[in-house]
Amino acid sequence: MSAPLLKVRGLRTVFHMADGSWPAVDGVDLEVRRGEVLGLVGESGSGKTVTGFSIVGLVDPPGEVIGGEVLFQGEDLRNAREARLRALRGDRIAMIFQDPLMTLNPVLTVGEQMAEAVLEHHAVGAAAALARAEETLERVGISSARARLAQYPHEFSGGMRQRVAIATALLNKPDLIIADEPTTALDVTIQSQILFEMQKLARESGTALIWITHDLTVVAELADRVAVMYAGRIVESGALATVLDHPRHPYTRGLLDSVPDVAARGSRLPQIFGMAPRLDTRPAGCAFSPRCTRANDRCKHDDPPETMVEGRLLRCHHPLYHGKFG
Amino acid sequence: MATYALQRLIQSLFVLLAASIVVFLAVYGIGDPIELLVPPQASAMEREEMVRRLGLDLPLWRQYLAFAWNAMHGDLGRSFVHGVPAIELILSRLPATLELVTLAMAIALAIGIPLGLVAGLDRDTPLSRIIMGGTVLGYSLPNFWKGMMLILVFAVLLGWLPSSGRGETAVILGVKSSLFTADGLRHLILPALNLAIPNMALMIRLVAAGATEAKAQDYVKYARAKGVRPGRIVRRHILRNILIPVVTVAGIEFGSLVAFSTITETVFAWPGMGKLLIDSIYQLDRPLVVAYIMLATFLFVSVNLLVDLLYAGLDPRVRLMGEAA
Amino acid sequence: MSATPAVPRADTALRRKVLERLRNQPTARGALVILALIVAAALLAPFIAPQNPYDLTALNVMDNRLPPGEKGMAGLTFWLGSDAQGRDMLSAILFGLRTSLLVGVAATAAALSVGVAVGLAAAQFGGRIDALLMRVVDFILGFPSILVALVLLAAIGRGVDKVILAIVVVQWANYARLMRASALVERRKEYIEAAVNQGLPTLYIMRAHLLPNSIGSVLVVATVSIAGAITLEATLSFLGVGVPVTEPSLGLLIANGFEFLLSGEYWISLFPGLALLGLILSINVVGERLRRSFDAHRH
């Protein structure tokens, strides 16, 4: 078995507040292989975005990565020098942020912002960088790419801006792309288009993809493997079909149940009662226990450890058996 | 862009009009204009003659119209004390004030922007706190006293620089200025510095605030995620965004600097427009005061207009919004 | 019957918190102490000054321009030196501080009253009245304050009351604009709507509800503006269009000392300047902290 492209073990990131340091990422284990798409699913506040930033060392104060291991192609990223991380970012590991309106500088042209990603890592001329940008824009489906390069971000629609972000990520043919909710701000039709294109591009170029989202349907369309995150921890992860068809963690089951189903039109949409805990109010024991219908005393006091069950990772004292409550 | 420019132009004209009415009323309406405009030694006959000639026996609104008519033809009255047309006199003093203000603005920007960046990009350092503390001192110092202390230190105690007056001038490209001679510069430094300091404080605060805010923006984080070097992030991403408010403020400040130069010119006996104003006020040379105000207003309004147009040029979003409107 | 939204009293809790924050910052605390000392010295001037600088008979012109520490003809020690008329600098400074504070506070208070009234009216009545008032405000704010004050004083002459008037004319517009902005936001809130529905008279609503709840941010600006008013008065006096020579303010003292600067007799201008700087700086530091605490607390 080939070594994984990215291996994360026990990643811990805290936020230092006036009243203490609270863990946003609390012992996360992840693995991504070459060319593989990993869906990282969780609701807001689960720590999935912070996980993405923690991997590339972009967690800013008051946040701080305090523990764990991040190995990229065998290289230790947590102890790497900043200059080395800068060399990797945008070149070998690219990121796509959630809201391209905020992430593109309004006073610089799109061409300049794309070209700088190339020029920073490769000793080519400005013209060559722009040519590459133009070519990549066309690959993501933006026509009149040359003219577009001279335009400013606000002259693009939401969907187009996100395509620009995707193109920028692809410019240097990275080994890994970390995409943080890139389609959340877009409407559904465009969302599907982009998902399809991302999948195609990933397959074509052999780029691995970590797709961070709260939306299970997106993951279902796109991913090879899925990891479900809750309150800073991975509670279940494994191959897509396995986890979606036979979820073992009650939270995963709850997420699946709450996806609107055409066949069940008219009936009440099941929801997981309660809300995800805030950073500073995580309960003792299993973090999901207050909202879990299967929780007992043990769940409330003992933090469930990670176990490997049938080829998948699981954190639960009372896992579901074959997808049914029982 | 064209419609926006036209709008602003019309607005500016309105302000000029309003200013002229207010100034006219203030100077000719308050108090006894006859007393103020007629030289005290005049006899009763001469006085009447003057009244009729200056049109002071006409109703106020007619006087204003005459005044406005003359103003549009460039005649803003004749100085009492000097006997020459006010405009001529003021304009002859303009170069001196202009070179002072230009040098002051250049100093304020050259030192203010870098210091502001240093202070704003990393607020937690002692250096940043010292710089920001310095700005409070900078705008708290009373202008006139600060000038006197500069003279005390550099001219009296250290003897490095002259204490007053303007230096020699030279002509370059048809422009006569004391910026072009060493002696001229020696005389320019202290007053320019005096004028620059409060402005510098303002610039530093402005740039620091802008830098701190820009640094926290998503696009900066995104640039870092692309692996862009910190130097380039500051230069291209942060600076461009800061420059817009800085340019705006600098432009407006330039206009008011010309007005504020009054104090500095008085302290340093600099033969500029400001000193002329003060002297005219002492000597009750009313026509000159009016002319000065009108000219200052005109300068002010034009600078503001130019700045607005420049702003629209720098920020592509304003341009497009203006066209769409 | 549904509950009517309670009318929030002028936020006393906020005020307390802000003052508490202020006390906990060392620089602000220091500045507050210095400010208190200066104000106390100024208020007690008639009692603690070694000499009455306004009393022309007490002055001996033979005592003129004595350096600091020298004794005068009558045995009085001139701790900070004496000026060209033989006035004790220390006493002159104490009384000068008094004038500066008087003018600064009075002018700010008057400008505040006018500005708040105008801003409140503009926010409440809206429409044409608002547009007109704001045009006037914008116009005044378009000119540098020193210019406006100079021209005005040139027209109306010298005197403490005229200086105060000039400063008020210059400063009220800023308060008007701030008050209007604050009141506009406040007007939208439920309790105002409730009061209107109850049929309360407009002026009453403005005075009892709108005013106390919108004025917070304006008051904070006013604190710092006192320093501005004091500086303006000092500058005008320095230029010779401010207070009369018989009641010298710090600005005038500094002006008097100018001619002696070049011969190295620095104390006539230096010490009044330091006193002025101390006053202005401490007000600015305290005001700045106040503003920052206020802003931070509101969010």
Side-chain angles (χ1 to χ4, degrees):
Chain A
M1 186 117 101
S2 57
L5 179 70
L6 177 74
K7 187 162 156 186
V8 178
R9 285 271 170 280
L11 187 63
R12 238 173 212 89
T13 305
V14 299
F15 275 80
H16 303 291
M17 310 292 213
D19 48 350
S21 301
W22 307 100
V25 179
D26 201 3
V28 159
D29 294 340
L30 286 178
E31 258 182 38
V32 186
R33 287 190 170 57
R34 275 182 206 290
E36 181 177 66
V37 179
L38 171 69
L40 185 57
V41 184
E43 52 194 300
S44 47
S46 56
K48 53 196 199 306
T49 301
V50 182
T51 303
F53 283 131
S54 304
I55 294 176
V56 292
L58 276 181
V59 173
D60 291 327
E64 190 190 350
V65 181
I66 58 168
E69 196 180 52
V70 178
L71 293 176
F72 179 69
Q73 292 175 327
E75 185 180 345
D76 182 2
L77 289 191
R78 273 210 61 218
N79 291 319
R81 283 167 51 238
E82 181 63 22
R84 174 66 186 149
L85 287 175
R86 263 207 302 273
L88 288 171
R89 290 183 204 131
D91 189 36
R92 304 288 89 228
I93 308 179
M95 280 195 84
I96 302 176
F97 285 23
Q98 177 171 350
D99 185 357
L101 183 57
M102 307 290 276
T103 56
L104 288 173
N105 193 334
V107 303
L108 300 176
T109 60
V110 163
E112 180 175 353
Q113 296 187 61
M114 289 184 76
E116 74 181 346
V118 178
L119 292 170
E120 197 64 45
H121 302 286
H122 302 281
V124 299
L130 281 173
R132 198 194 290 195
E134 184 184 340
E135 173 194 60
T136 320
L137 276 184
E138 275 166 5
R139 268 178 76 200
V140 295
I142 294 184
S143 49
S144 327
R146 160 141 291 176
R148 288 299 204 165
L149 286 178
Q151 290 183 331
Y152 292 90
H154 63 267
E155 296 180 71
F156 289 62
S157 70
M160 299 233 114
R161 275 195 288 266
Q162 205 52 301
R163 286 176 207 243
V164 168
I166 294 172
T168 310
L170 290 170
L171 279 174
N172 294 320
K173 302 199 187 356
D175 299 315
L176 172 67
I177 294 181
I178 302 178
D180 188 357
E181 306 234 43
T183 53
T184 303
L186 305 173
D187 74 62
V188 189
T189 42
I190 303 197
Q191 189 168 291
S192 305
Q193 277 177 349
I194 297 210
L195 280 175
F196 176 69
E197 282 160 21
M198 280 307 296
Q199 193 169 44
K200 196 168 71 122
L201 289 167
R203 298 262 176 275
E204 279 172 7
S205 46
T207 308
L209 190 54
I210 298 182
W211 194 274
I212 303 177
T213 179
H214 64 276
D215 190 347
L216 264 179
T217 54
V218 163
V219 165
E221 279 186 67
L222 183 63
D224 301 315
R225 297 170 55 82
V226 64
V228 179
M229 202 163 165
Y230 188 80
R233 294 198 173 110
I234 307 284
V235 295
E236 182 163 14
S237 82
L240 182 73
T242 326
V243 174
L244 290 192
D245 291 338
H246 305 290
R248 296 296 228 109
H249 197 283
Y251 179 59
T252 316
R253 177 82 251 174
L255 280 181
L256 282 167
D257 284 345
S258 62
V259 172
D261 177 11
V262 163
R265 210 180 346 173
S267 56
R268 207 154 172 273
L269 192 66
Q271 283 177 350
I272 314 175
F273 66 83
M275 285 193 344
R278 272 182 19 219
L279 214 57
D280 49 351
T281 55
R282 288 195 181 149
C286 172
F288 186 61
S289 52
R291 305 169 73 186
C292 185
T293 50
R294 297 162 64 77
N296 62 8
D297 277 339
R298 185 175 175 220
C299 300
K300 294 199 174 95
H301 292 119
D302 287 340
D303 205 359
E306 281 186 353
T307 48
M308 289 299 289
V309 175
E310 295 169 4
R312 77 177 86 185
L313 189 146
L314 192 57
R315 264 190 206 264
C316 187
H317 291 306
H318 283 146
L320 301 168
Y321 189 63
H322 283 155
K324 291 192 185 54
F325 282 92
Chain B
M1 183 71 166
T3 34
Y4 181 68
L6 197 61
Q7 274 176 347
R8 289 291 295 110
L9 191 64
I10 296 180
Q11 272 177 10
S12 308
L13 286 173
F14 260 118
V15 174
L16 267 176
L17 188 66
S20 67
I21 297 180
V22 170
V23 170
F24 182 81
L25 284 178
V27 180
Y28 288 80
I30 299 179
D32 186 1
I34 302 171
E35 281 301 312
L36 311 174
L37 291 171
V38 168
Q41 323 88 288
S43 70
M45 274 283 281
E46 287 171 336
R47 182 164 295 185
E48 259 198 48
E49 168 76 38
M50 265 227 137
V51 168
R52 226 172 318 124
R53 190 155 47 86
L54 291 173
L56 288 171
D57 49 351
L58 294 170
L60 205 60
W61 64 269
R62 283 190 104 187
Q63 288 188 47
Y64 172 72
L65 283 175
F67 165 74
W69 180 252
N70 287 338
M72 285 197 279
H73 287 98
D75 175 13
L76 279 173
R78 192 169 274 265
S79 157
F80 253 171
V81 177
H82 305 267
V84 295
I87 293 238
E88 249 180 55
L89 197 55
I90 297 176
L91 286 179
S92 71
R93 306 275 219 143
L94 187 61
T97 299
L98 223 50
E99 66 190 18
L100 185 60
V101 170
T102 309
L103 187 59
M105 200 77 229
I107 296 177
L109 286 174
I111 302 186
I113 295 182
L115 278 185
L117 278 177
V118 167
L121 287 175
D122 196 348
R123 292 267 188 173
D124 281 328
T125 58
L127 183 60
S128 169
R129 274 189 265 256
I130 292 177
I131 294 177
M132 295 303 280
T135 61
V136 180
L137 189 64
Y139 68 74
S140 298
L141 281 166
N143 243 326
F144 59 95
W145 184 73
K146 167 160 75 25
M148 287 168 62
M149 292 301 115
L150 280 174
I151 294 179
L152 183 65
V153 172
F154 289 102
V156 180
L157 294 178
L158 291 173
W160 290 348
L161 296 167
S163 62
S164 63
R166 189 182 182 209
E168 285 165 19
T169 59
V171 181
I172 294 188
L173 296 176
V175 173
K176 182 161 179 264
S177 167
S178 68
L179 280 168
F180 304 135
T181 64
D183 179 56
L185 279 174
R186 284 183 71 231
H187 281 88
L188 261 173
I189 292 184
L190 283 183
L193 198 60
N194 192 37
L195 209 50
I197 289 179
N199 245 52
M200 213 189 298
L202 182 65
M203 279 297 144
I204 292 177
R205 293 178 82 84
L206 197 64
V207 171
T212 308
E213 194 187 316
K215 196 171 166 222
Q217 292 293 312
D218 276 347
Y219 56 74
V220 167
K221 193 145 192 165
Y222 184 59
R224 288 167 65 206
K226 286 190 283 188
V228 179
R229 226 162 307 155
R232 187 186 146 89
I233 292 186
V234 173
R235 252 186 316 113
R236 284 305 282 170
H237 290 267
I238 294 184
L239 212 51
R240 270 303 293 271
N241 274 280
I242 292 180
L243 275 179
I244 296 167
V246 166
V247 162
T248 317
V249 172
I252 296 175
E253 281 298 299
F254 194 84
S256 64
L257 266 184
V258 173
F260 278 117
S261 65
T262 320
I263 301 164
T264 302
E265 288 181 16
T266 309
V267 171
F268 288 90
W270 189 264
M273 282 165 58
K275 183 128 201 320
L276 183 64
L277 176 69
I278 294 290
D279 293 341
S280 314
I281 290 180
Y282 279 149
Q283 296 160 336
L284 299 178
D285 196 348
R286 294 308 166 105
L288 205 62
V289 175
V290 172
Y292 182 93
I293 305 288
M294 284 317 298
L295 232 78
T297 309
F298 180 72
L299 188 70
F300 222 38
V301 164
S302 339
V303 170
N304 279 6
L305 183 62
L306 273 169
V307 166
D308 275 347
L309 294 179
L310 189 64
Y311 190 115
L314 268 182
D315 190 339
R317 293 170 288 185
V318 174
R319 234 189 288 151
L320 282 176
M321 280 200 310
E323 276 165 16
Chain C
M1 185 156 100
S2 61
T4 44
V7 177
R9 267 174 308 128
D11 232 317
T12 41
L14 172 64
R15 218 184 295 151
R16 233 183 308 126
K17 205 85 201 283
V18 166
L19 283 176
E20 189 186 289
R21 276 261 205 120
L22 194 66
R23 272 193 294 255
N24 290 338
Q25 303 243 3
T27 21
R29 235 187 318 181
L32 201 56
V33 166
I34 295 180
L35 184 59
L37 284 174
I38 294 181
V39 171
L43 289 175
L44 295 173
F47 306 108
I48 58 175
Q51 181 198 73
N52 181 353
Y54 300 156
D55 184 0
L56 294 168
T57 57
L59 302 178
N60 187 340
V61 79
M62 297 293 287
D63 283 338
N64 72 344
R65 288 148 61 197
L66 292 172
E70 288 270 323
K71 271 205 182 14
M73 305 290 293
L76 180 69
T77 313
F78 293 104
W79 293 110
L80 295 178
S82 68
D83 74 355
Q85 274 89 35
R87 253 189 224 110
D88 171 37
M89 288 310 299
L90 180 57
S91 313
I93 289 175
L94 286 173
F95 276 85
L97 277 172
R98 231 165 164 231
T99 313
S100 294
L101 271 170
L102 172 73
V103 171
V105 173
T108 303
L112 197 56
S113 312
V114 173
V116 163
V118 170
L120 204 55
Q124 176 68 29
F125 300 121
R128 287 248 182 95
I129 299 184
D130 182 19
L132 177 67
L133 287 174
M134 282 306 114
R135 281 273 171 279
V136 175
V137 166
D138 283 337
F139 182 69
I140 294 204
L141 285 177
F143 290 95
S145 36
I146 186 84
L147 220 54
V148 175
L150 267 178
V151 171
L152 197 59
L153 283 169
I156 60 180
R158 308 174 67 167
V160 175
D161 50 343
K162 302 197 174 69
V163 172
I164 294 182
L165 180 63
I167 299 177
V168 171
V169 168
V170 163
Q171 288 204 336
W172 74 269
N174 200 21
Y175 296 132
R177 186 186 270 181
L178 286 170
M179 187 64 189
R180 171 181 176 269
S182 185
L184 277 178
V185 167
E186 205 65 23
R187 265 192 89 214
R188 303 249 175 283
K189 298 198 176 158
E190 278 183 6
Y191 69 95
I192 295 285
E193 199 179 306
V196 170
N197 287 343
Q198 285 173 12
L200 295 170
T202 315
L203 279 177
Y204 175 75
I205 297 180
M206 281 169 71
R207 184 175 57 77
H209 295 323
L210 205 53
L211 175 63
N213 290 301
S214 334
I215 206 170
S217 53
V218 183
L219 283 178
V220 172
V221 171
T223 343
V224 176
S225 294
I226 297 183
I230 292 177
T231 310
L232 194 54
E233 179 273 318
T235 310
L236 292 169
S237 299
F238 172 78
L239 292 172
V241 293
V243 297
V245 271
T246 48
E247 292 176 44
S249 72
L250 293 172
L252 205 50
L253 288 173
I254 297 175
N256 290 340
F258 192 13
E259 53 189 294
F260 304 111
L261 207 62
L262 294 175
S263 40
E265 286 162 352
Y266 61 90
W267 56 88
I268 311 179
S269 292
L270 178 67
F271 294 124
L274 286 176
L276 187 61
L277 179 63
L279 180 58
I280 295 175
L281 197 58
S282 50
I283 294 179
N284 275 336
V285 172
V286 171
E288 161 104 4
R289 286 297 155 133
L290 207 67
R291 181 188 62 81
R292 236 184 292 165
S293 309
F294 190 80
D295 277 344
H297 207 82
R298 253 192 326 178
H299 300 129

